[in-house]
């Protein structure tokens, strides 16, 4: 009895000690796991912050580039990559009246089509599929599944669709830009009344390009296709950029001083998932 | 009457002392185990919230695999559907796997833009596309094998499934694709297939949601198929997602309300690192 009574508190103290040990062990295990999770969160923050830093540093080379940012927090090691297309040195291209992608390759200028095409215009007629065309489309050039038919141009046009001009079309003097994300096919005469930028994401074809009396400056751009002009008024001064080449009639007047659209400095292509 | 060597008062005092000590110790033990249980509950809750935060954050990070307006979709009120509005099979299958009512789901897509492909000479056969595919920047040597791709159009996106996994593309090669419903890309007409000029490999399309048993689950999608549905975290009671867009700069992200009980929830917010832009610059600039 005496020993039993003496042992009783000992048993209780022991069980308390066991409980405390269990609590400590649990607390250690749980805090290890939660600290691992916290390290995971912090490491993600680190790589998120570091991955775009190289873009702000001088010396990064032009063209297509990819790089990685790393982070170590506790036992967690994470890496996150980024890729960007940086505009190449265009000093050579800046002096040329015709910028031909098949010749310039990576030095062919990258244009900021987001600023060229926005704000978007609505198709003046109900969009149609692709009808018969006066040109054979380049197989790799951009095109839209739908086309807009238009007869006269009185305001700037910025279309997601292809643009087809089936008859002679007068472009009002208040129109500085005609741009489409797809191809542009002017199947008859296009008569301009002021300086203008005519820009197509895909092929750009004009049967006849005319003006009134003035020697207007015309910029013709095809981002992914050809520029094909069959007849042109020699009074007009042209500057052309075409990824797959420019086909101009003999006697066309070229002018390398005509400004091109805003170049695209850097195109961030995406970040990888942290691993 | 009393035991030899003991007198009754001694015995009573001993019993009283033992009783006091054991009561105190028992209380300590109860308090200790209660604290242990509370600590366990709190640690578990913290772990659930941290894991959920990491998973949801990774969904937003997946959205930054491209700068375009594609990748994140929020399914409100436990209704997981395809881009065309039709219900995902998880809504009609096993009852316990269906989303818990009152919760939201989050679909994200991770793209691999550096392994993009250019398409030329496309031809269409019903809802199938056959085209010559060339690597856009450099030969794709020993890349992960990609099965699904995002086709870029001037006015949208189409998810295409390759007939066979494409693990390397060192030069131009003829490939075949099919298209159907998608969790991220709008369904387009078969005629639009011929206008696709750029393909971007899809590393994964995931949907995070909470099932009826309170498990945070992850579905992997490939076109209209759910190729896996895995439990990730147990014990979630609240999971609502809201998309936000900054008014003064082109940043966006999501706010997440997560909780282990209906009464308490934690609000976490994630921002995309990249501002959202249309895909024209990618589509219309070469190379």
């Amino acid at each position: 009895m005496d020993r039993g009574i003496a042992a009783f508190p000992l048993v209780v103290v022991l069980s308390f000690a066991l409980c405390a040990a269990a609590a400590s062990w649990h607390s250690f295990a749980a805090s290890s796991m939660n600290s691992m999770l916290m390290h995971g969160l912090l490491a993600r923050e680190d790589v998120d912050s570091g991955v775009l830093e190289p873009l702000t540093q001088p010396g990064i080379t032009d063209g297509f580039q990819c790089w990685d940012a790393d982070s170590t927090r506790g036992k967690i090691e994470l890496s996150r990559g980024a890729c960007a297309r940086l505009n190449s040195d265009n000093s050579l291209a800046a002096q040329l009246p015709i910028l031909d992608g098949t010749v310039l390759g990576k030095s062919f200028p990258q244009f900021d089509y987001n600023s060229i095409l926005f704000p978007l215009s609505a198709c003046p007629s109900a969009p149609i599929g692709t009808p018969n065309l006066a040109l054979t489309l380049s197989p790799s050039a951009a095109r839209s599944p739908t086309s807009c038919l238009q007869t006269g141009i009185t305001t700037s046009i910025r279309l997601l669709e292809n643009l087809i001009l089936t008859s002679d079309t007068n472009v009002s003097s208040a129109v500085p830009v005609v741009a489409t994300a797809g191809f542009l096919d002017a199947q008859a005469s296009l008569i301009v009344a002021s300086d203008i930028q005519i820009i197509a994401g895909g092929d750009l074809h004009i049967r006849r390009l005319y003006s009134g009396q003035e020697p207007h400056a015309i910029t013709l751009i095809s981002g992914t296709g050809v520029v094909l002009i069959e007849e042109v008024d020699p009074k007009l001064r042209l500057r052309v950029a075409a990824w797959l080449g420019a086909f101009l009639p003999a006697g066309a007047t070229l002018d390398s001083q005509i400004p091109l659209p805003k170049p695209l400095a850097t195109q961030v292509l995406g970040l990888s998932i942290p691993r | 009457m009393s035991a030899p060597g003991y007198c009754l008062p001694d015995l009573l005092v001993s019993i009283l002392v033992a009783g006091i000590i054991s009561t105190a110790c028992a209380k300590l033990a109860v308090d200790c185990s209660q604290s242990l249980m509370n600590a366990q509950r709190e640690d578990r809750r913290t772990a659930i919230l941290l894991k959920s935060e990491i998973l949801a954050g990774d969904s937003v990070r997946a959205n930054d695999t491209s700068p375009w307006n594609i990748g994140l979709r929020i399914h409100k009120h436990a209704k997981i559907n395809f881009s065309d509005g039709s219900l995902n099979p998880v809504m009609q299958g096993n009852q316990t796997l269906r989303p818990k009512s009152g919760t939201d789901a989050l679909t994200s897509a991770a793209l691999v833009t550096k392994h993009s492909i250019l398409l030329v000479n496309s031809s269409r056969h019903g809802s199938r596309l056959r085209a010559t595919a060339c690597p856009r920047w450099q030969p794709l040597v020993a890349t992960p094998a990609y099965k699904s791709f995002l086709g870029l159009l001037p006015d949208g996106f189409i998810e295409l499934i390759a007939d066979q996994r494409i693990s390397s593309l060192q030069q131009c090669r003829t490939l075949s694709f099919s298209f159907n419903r998608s969790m991220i890309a709008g369904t387009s007409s078969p005629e639009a297939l011929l206008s696709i000029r750029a393909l971007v490999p899809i590393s994964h399309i995931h949907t995070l949601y909470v099932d009826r048993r309170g498990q945070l689950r992850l579905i992997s999608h490939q076109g209209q198929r759910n190729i896996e549905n895995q439990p990730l975290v147990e014990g979630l009671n609240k999971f609502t997602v809201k998309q936000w867009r900054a008014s003064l700069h082109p940043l966006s992200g999501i706010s997440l309300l997560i909780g282990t009980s209906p009464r308490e929830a934690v609000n976490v917010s994630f921002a995309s690192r990249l501002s959202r832009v249309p895909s024209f610059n990618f589509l219309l600039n070469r190379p």
Side-chain angles (χ1 to χ4, degrees):
Chain A
M1 181 107 179
D2 184 28
R3 269 187 234 145
I5 290 170
F8 188 67
L10 192 68
V11 169
V12 175
V13 168
L14 268 177
S15 47
F16 177 70
L18 269 175
C19 176
S24 307
W25 178 82
H26 169 266
S27 156
F28 172 73
S31 69
S32 305
M33 195 182 76
N34 284 347
S35 76
M36 284 271 277
L37 291 168
M38 278 307 295
H39 283 315
L41 269 178
L42 293 172
R44 280 167 169 77
E45 290 294 322
D46 287 347
V47 288
D48 283 355
S49 308
V51 72
L52 290 174
E53 257 174 37
L55 279 176
T56 60
Q57 291 163 3
I60 187 161
T61 51
D62 58 10
F64 173 71
Q65 295 286 324
C66 292
W67 62 89
D68 286 318
D70 302 310
S71 168
T72 305
R73 288 273 190 161
K75 290 178 182 168
I76 303 285
E77 285 178 30
L78 275 182
S79 174
R80 191 170 198 196
C83 290
R85 172 71 171 81
L86 293 108
N87 215 346
S88 305
D89 175 14
N90 291 322
S91 50
L92 170 69
Q95 300 163 15
L96 299 171
I98 297 179
L99 291 85
D100 183 336
T102 60
V103 176
L104 292 172
K106 287 179 183 172
S107 299
F108 185 76
Q110 306 264 306
F111 297 114
D112 186 356
Y113 288 97
N114 290 344
S115 67
I116 290 170
L117 287 164
F118 277 90
L120 285 167
S121 322
C123 207
S125 56
I128 56 167
T130 303
N132 290 334
L133 297 171
L135 79 161
T136 306
L137 295 173
S138 307
S140 63
R143 55 189 279 191
S144 169
T146 50
S147 301
C148 298
L149 296 175
Q150 186 131 2
T151 48
I153 299 176
T154 53
T155 57
S156 284
I157 292 180
R158 295 176 169 91
L159 291 173
L160 283 176
E161 296 86 355
N162 312 306
L163 177 62
I164 301 172
L165 307 167
T166 50
S167 54
D168 289 355
T169 304
N170 283 296
V171 184
S172 130
S173 60
V175 177
V177 175
V178 172
T180 69
F183 62 79
L184 190 158
D185 184 20
Q187 300 178 352
S189 297
L190 190 67
I191 303 129
V192 296
S194 61
D195 295 356
I196 188 170
Q197 294 187 333
I198 303 174
I199 300 166
D203 292 318
L204 195 169
H205 166 244
I206 301 173
R207 174 79 187 83
R208 286 179 294 270
L209 181 60
Y210 283 115
S211 75
Q213 300 303 313
E214 298 295 315
H216 299 303
I218 315 291
T219 309
L220 300 163
I221 289 173
S222 166
T224 61
V226 297
V227 168
L228 169 61
I229 312 295
E230 294 184 44
E231 286 176 33
V232 66
D233 186 339
K235 278 200 304 293
L236 291 173
R237 294 174 293 117
L238 306 183
R239 182 123 195 242
V240 183
W243 175 245
L244 294 179
F247 301 89
L248 305 175
T253 309
L254 300 172
D255 184 349
S256 60
Q257 300 303 310
I258 298 172
L260 294 168
K262 184 182 165 192
L264 181 64
T266 301
Q267 185 184 180
V268 179
L269 298 165
L271 312 178
S272 67
I273 301 166
R275 289 191 193 287
Chain B
M1 285 293 283
S2 62
Y6 288 100
C7 61
L8 186 60
D10 286 348
L11 188 63
L12 286 174
V13 169
S14 298
I15 290 172
L16 189 67
V17 169
I20 290 168
I21 291 173
S22 59
T23 306
C25 289
K27 173 131 186 12
L28 274 174
V30 167
D31 286 352
C32 171
S33 58
Q34 196 112 45
S35 307
L36 182 60
M37 283 194 310
N38 285 345
Q40 271 178 332
R41 203 179 308 123
E42 193 51 39
D43 285 337
R44 194 168 156 272
R45 183 177 161 276
T46 307
I48 290 169
L49 298 179
L50 282 173
K51 279 185 199 168
S52 307
E53 190 178 333
I54 286 175
L55 290 164
D58 282 350
S59 294
V60 176
R61 288 181 182 90
N63 193 38
D64 275 340
T65 52
S66 87
W68 310 317
N69 291 309
I70 190 161
L72 269 188
R73 280 188 67 217
I74 295 168
H75 309 271
K76 297 302 284 182
H77 312 306
K79 191 179 168 195
I80 300 175
N81 54 15
F82 290 104
S83 296
D84 66 358
S86 59
L87 289 179
N88 183 280
V90 75
M91 301 295 295
Q92 292 142 346
N94 186 335
Q95 288 276 354
T96 54
L97 294 184
R98 292 187 190 179
K100 186 183 181 72
S101 68
T103 61
D104 300 336
L106 179 65
T107 298
S108 62
L111 310 178
V112 192
T113 47
K114 68 177 174 183
H115 292 158
S116 296
I117 290 171
L118 287 176
L119 286 191
V120 288
N121 292 325
S122 310
S123 59
R124 183 173 69 83
H125 310 275
S127 64
R128 302 183 62 73
L129 176 72
R130 198 173 155 81
T132 305
C134 307
R136 175 158 179 160
W137 281 291
Q138 53 206 12
L140 311 185
V141 184
T143 60
Y146 301 114
K147 180 78 174 163
S148 54
F149 293 83
L150 193 70
L152 271 64
L153 294 166
D155 60 348
F157 304 92
I158 298 179
E159 186 184 347
L160 295 175
I161 308 296
D163 283 3
Q164 59 195 40
R165 286 187 171 273
I166 301 166
S167 61
S168 63
L169 200 59
Q170 294 178 45
Q171 53 195 6
C172 297
R173 182 167 112 200
T174 303
L175 298 172
S176 294
F177 304 89
S178 60
F179 93 109
N180 212 304
R181 288 180 298 180
S182 168
M183 288 299 290
I184 51 160
T187 307
S188 196
S189 65
E191 290 73 34
L193 291 176
L194 288 176
S195 299
I196 297 173
R197 288 291 172 267
L199 286 185
V200 181
I202 298 174
S203 144
H204 67 245
I205 301 174
H206 288 161
T207 298
L208 277 178
Y209 79 102
V210 179
D211 71 13
R212 290 188 176 175
R213 286 185 297 189
Q215 292 190 106
L216 183 67
R217 304 187 72 97
L218 181 141
I219 310 175
S220 293
H221 309 276
Q222 198 170 78
Q224 62 177 350
R225 286 178 56 222
N226 293 347
I227 52 177
E228 64 168 336
N229 186 342
Q230 299 288 341
L232 300 174
V233 182
E234 277 183 29
L236 264 190
N237 211 294
K238 198 166 188 61
F239 188 83
T240 57
V241 194
K242 205 168 65 179
Q243 198 148 18
W244 57 262
R245 200 171 287 274
S247 54
L248 295 177
H249 45 83
L251 278 183
S252 62
I254 60 163
S255 290
L256 193 67
L257 203 58
I258 40 177
T260 51
S261 78
R263 291 184 307 280
E264 51 179 356
V266 176
N267 196 343
V268 282
S269 204
F270 306 96
S272 290
R273 292 278 152 177
L274 303 182
S275 53
R276 301 292 113 191
V277 292
S279 58
F280 298 131
N281 284 333
F282 183 82
L283 200 57
L284 304 181
N285 280 307
R286 303 274 171 83

